Amino acid sequence: MKKLLVALFSIGALSMGIFGLAQAEVDNPGGIGGLESLRGSAELEDTRPADDFKKFPREQIVDSSYVYQPPLIPHNIRGYEVSLNANKCLACHSWKNAKEMGATKISVTHYVNREDAVLADMSPRRYFCLQCHVPQANAKPLIENNFERVDSLDK
């Protein structure tokens, strides 16, 4: 009797599973389904319009939040090219131009290679500034964040 009940239950579950798959196909023709992310939901085959550009306060002072944090960029960098052929950041921040432009000089650490040899020009591994340095925008966080700045840890 127990085996008969298990068999009937299994057949019922299997038929419900098949029905569920058939129902999913009716609700979602072609299987394109919706994709839910932190930025909202979108159909997989649709292109969602881009978000508005974030606002970058002009000439803001951005303090570090943790030890060894790469400095944040306190200005808009829209349209800046940082590629193999050009680096717009160096127009202001290179040692040659920084004083004239009133910009912060690139750190001396950017002139040292992996073998700790000091180079005459920027190390190739430090050339792509935007790998570490990012602009700070006034943007609403996508998720709740309880990060505490390094100053708050002293208390």
Side-chain angles (χ1 to χ4, degrees):
M1 179 67 167
K2 189 175 183 180
K3 288 183 181 180
L4 179 61
L5 287 174
V6 169
L8 288 173
F9 180 72
S10 298
I11 292 170
L14 181 61
S15 66
M16 289 301 286
I18 292 170
F19 176 73
L21 291 175
Q23 185 62 36
E25 184 61 30
V26 169
D27 293 340
N28 185 13
I32 60 173
L35 178 65
E36 185 73 28
S37 74
L38 295 175
R39 296 186 189 278
S41 65
E43 292 297 320
L44 295 177
E45 293 181 358
D46 293 342
T47 301
R48 183 176 73 76
D51 293 337
D52 292 335
F53 280 102
K54 305 295 183 222
K55 303 294 185 226
F56 296 92
R58 291 188 174 272
E59 303 307 316
Q60 63 181 335
I61 296 175
V62 184
D63 293 327
S64 295
S65 295
Y66 59 90
V67 179
Y68 299 118
Q69 173 186 345
L72 297 172
I73 301 170
H75 56 80
N76 192 349
I77 59 168
R78 185 172 180 198
Y80 277 38
E81 181 179 356
V82 179
S83 68
L84 187 59
N85 299 321
N87 185 330
K88 174 72 172 157
C89 303
L90 297 177
C92 297
H93 295 282
S94 69
W95 280 59
K96 182 175 85 174
N97 300 334
K99 186 174 183 178
E100 180 183 333
M101 299 302 291
T104 304
K105 289 181 186 176
I106 298 170
S107 168
V108 293
T109 60
H110 289 53
Y111 290 85
V112 178
N113 68 12
R114 291 181 185 185
E115 290 78 36
D116 288 331
V118 178
L119 307 173
D121 205 356
M122 181 187 274
S123 172
R125 68 188 184 128
R126 299 291 186 107
Y127 180 79
F128 296 99
C129 309
L130 302 177
Q131 290 181 136
C132 300
H133 304 280
V134 295
Q136 182 63 53
N138 287 336
K140 184 181 138 226
L142 293 174
I143 59 172
E144 184 181 337
N145 184 352
N146 59 2
F147 176 79
E148 294 183 31
R149 294 175 51 94
V150 71
D151 308 6
S152 68
L153 300 177
D154 293 337
K155 296 176 185 176

